[in-house]
């Protein structure tokens, strides 16, 4: 089985904590710096499906100023997924 992939921001303390937990449990993972390699819309949809989530808000940083700036509170799921794909700073992390 391939290593799990974790969407990761190396400057995020939660990401580093998750990395430490995985390492402590002997779990090898591939860490994808999603800010520099943003996921495509299709990948975002796949991850939502894997998580059993139907609302992309489940993986969104809805408290960020950019969320308000883009006026995403009333947005459709498709609009939110597009916003998560570019710029990817609205993606909650880590996701693995």
């Amino acid at each position: 089985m391939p290593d799990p992939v974790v969407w990761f921001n190396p400057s995020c303390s939660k990401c580093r904590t998750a990395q430490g937990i995985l390492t402590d449990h002997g779990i090898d993972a591939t860490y994808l710096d999603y800010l520099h390699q943003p996921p495509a819309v299709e990948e975002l949809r796949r991850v939502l499906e894997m998580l059993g989530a139907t609302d992309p808000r489940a993986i969104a940083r809805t408290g960020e100023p950019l969320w308000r700036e883009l006026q995403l509170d009333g947005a459709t799921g498709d609009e939110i997924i597009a916003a998560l794909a570019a710029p990817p700073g609205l993606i909650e992390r880590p996701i693995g």
Side-chain angles (χ1 to χ4, degrees):
M1 183 195 303
D3 290 345
V5 176
V6 178
W7 292 358
F8 187 79
N9 175 353
S11 64
C12 168
S13 63
K14 288 181 186 177
C15 290
R16 292 189 309 272
T17 298
Q19 184 180 34
I21 292 168
L22 292 173
T23 299
D24 289 348
H25 285 86
I27 298 171
D28 291 323
T30 300
Y31 295 91
L32 176 66
D33 184 345
Y34 70 91
L35 294 175
H36 293 99
Q37 296 175 308
V41 167
E42 298 79 26
E43 181 69 1
L44 288 162
R45 290 185 192 285
R46 187 183 73 78
V47 166
L48 280 170
E49 185 177 319
M50 287 174 52
L51 295 172
T54 57
D55 187 347
R57 287 170 182 83
I59 62 168
R61 298 174 58 86
T62 59
E64 291 293 313
L66 181 58
W67 180 270
R68 288 185 298 281
E69 182 182 316
L70 295 174
Q71 300 177 344
L72 294 172
D73 280 337
T76 66
D78 288 340
E79 291 168 334
I80 292 170
I81 288 174
L84 293 176
L90 288 176
I91 297 173
E92 187 62 71
R93 68 231 180 222
I95 294 179

